[in-house]
């Protein structure tokens, strides 16, 4: 089974802290994504990566950065956490092969609260 | 810009009923469409993936159809059970967007005893 693992289920951080959210997948997928999910707004793409050291901005990249030094690991960084970044963060991965995109698989989510 | 809409936003049915969830998208130039399930406070679980060249996919009591020309997909759940209670999300990958998923806002399903 494909497994996407996020390092924490729940996090509480203080305003201004630098926050790291880690995601690891075990299926050698090229694509990895970070979404945030908020009531009434649905899932919104923050950043995605289609290869090691490659990244592209999603719809709401402001206040975030990412790092992908190894194929299996994709990190989301909140440079200076703010209360409006309190949210559920979801990591996903997918494979691009044989001219077709395959299923996207998601981690269990990290509920981040910034106080 | 691709927009994905799911109707209804919430649905409550008695156990045993067959039901249909709807998903519509504005741009028919898609690679595939994927249906997910999300339990409260949890991540997303993939249910079915339909490639753009396919018309439908089946898994157990679930059947998903895709009509690209009309920009619609339906998820059919047969003989619903209380364990089916969850939020159901559809997502599309638009051609040329490097596999980024665009999500609908979901249908919250409750199956009652």
């Amino acid at each position: 089974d494909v497994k996407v693992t996020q390092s924490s289920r729940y996090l509480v951080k203080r305003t201004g802290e630098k926050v790291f959210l880690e995601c690891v997948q075990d299926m050698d997928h090229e694509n990895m994504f970070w979404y945030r999910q908020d009531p009434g707004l649905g899932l919104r793409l923050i950043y995605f990566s289609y290869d090691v050291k490659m990244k592209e901005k999603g719809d709401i990249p402001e206040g975030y950065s990412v790092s992908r030094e190894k194929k299996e690991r994709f990190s989301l960084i909140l440079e200076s956490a703010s209360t409006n970044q309190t949210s559920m963060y979801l990591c996903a991965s997918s494979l691009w092969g044989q001219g077709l995109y395959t299923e996207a698989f998601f981690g269990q989510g990290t509920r981040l609260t910034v106080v | 810009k691709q927009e994905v809409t799911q109707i209804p936003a919430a649905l409550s049915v008695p156990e045993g009923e067959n039901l249909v969830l709807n998903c519509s998208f504005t741009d028919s130039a898609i690679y595939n469409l994927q249906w997910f399930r999300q339990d409260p406070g949890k991540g997303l679980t993939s249910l079915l993936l339909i490639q753009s060249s396919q018309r439908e996919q089946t898994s157990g009591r679930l059947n998903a159809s895709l009509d690209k020309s009309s920009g619609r997909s339906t998820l059919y759940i047969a003989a619903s059970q209380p364990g089916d209670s969850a939020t159901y999300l559809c997502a599309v990958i638009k051609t040329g967007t490097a596999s980024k998923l665009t999500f609908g806002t979901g249908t919250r399903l409750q199956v009652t005893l």
Side-chain angles (χ1 to χ4, degrees):
Chain A
D1 277 355
V2 175
K3 200 154 189 186
V4 180
T5 303
Q6 295 182 228
S7 54
S8 303
R9 285 293 315 277
Y10 301 96
L11 275 179
V12 180
K13 296 292 181 180
R14 295 192 180 278
T15 301
E17 273 193 77
K18 190 169 186 175
V19 181
F20 293 85
L21 303 184
E22 307 285 343
C23 176
V24 177
Q25 51 94 3
D26 65 359
M27 284 301 292
D28 203 35
H29 284 176
E30 286 89 356
N31 302 319
M32 295 189 75
F33 310 84
W34 277 106
Y35 289 85
R36 65 176 281 178
Q37 185 177 30
D38 301 287
L41 296 175
L43 279 96
R44 294 178 291 167
L45 181 64
I46 305 171
Y47 266 98
F48 81 103
S49 169
Y50 51 90
D51 203 349
V52 175
K53 296 189 185 296
M54 307 302 289
K55 61 186 179 184
E56 281 197 25
K57 294 179 181 178
D59 300 318
I60 51 163
E62 296 79 18
Y64 303 94
S65 62
V66 290
S67 173
R68 193 166 181 199
E69 297 296 320
K70 294 185 178 181
K71 192 174 185 180
E72 67 270 18
R73 187 179 298 269
F74 193 35
S75 302
L76 180 70
I77 304 155
L78 286 65
E79 299 291 342
S80 177
S82 64
T83 55
N84 63 12
Q85 293 178 309
T86 292
S87 186
M88 170 71 100
Y89 289 87
L90 293 159
C91 175
S93 72
S94 69
L95 178 68
W96 166 247
Q98 297 181 332
L100 295 172
Y101 296 112
T102 63
E103 280 179 277
F105 293 92
F106 279 77
Q108 77 277 30
T110 297
R111 171 73 65 183
L112 173 67
T113 302
V114 182
V115 298
Chain B
K1 182 184 174 185
Q2 177 75 273
E3 292 185 2
V4 182
T5 305
Q6 290 186 247
I7 294 173
L11 181 64
S12 181
V13 301
E15 182 179 14
E17 265 201 21
N18 303 324
L19 58 101
V20 173
L21 307 181
N22 297 294
C23 172
S24 61
F25 45 95
T26 54
D27 188 339
S28 62
I30 64 169
Y31 270 124
N32 63 31
L33 184 143
Q34 193 168 354
W35 281 94
F36 296 88
R37 164 192 175 129
Q38 186 176 31
D39 294 292
K42 301 287 180 65
L44 278 64
T45 299
S46 177
L47 297 173
L48 289 165
L49 172 74
I50 310 177
Q51 304 285 359
S52 61
S53 58
Q54 298 173 322
R55 297 283 294 184
E56 65 179 278
Q57 281 286 340
T58 298
S59 175
R61 294 183 293 110
L62 305 179
N63 175 277
S65 66
L66 174 64
D67 183 344
K68 272 183 56 178
S69 61
S70 66
R72 291 181 186 174
S73 175
T74 60
L75 179 67
Y76 175 82
I77 303 176
S80 58
Q81 302 170 359
D84 295 330
S85 298
T87 296
Y88 290 80
L89 295 152
C90 68
V92 298
I93 293 178
K94 185 178 179 305
T95 306
T97 59
S99 72
K100 292 182 286 185
L101 289 151
T102 300
F103 282 87
T105 50
T107 294
R108 190 170 67 252
L109 172 66
Q110 183 173 12
V111 181
T112 58
L113 291 169

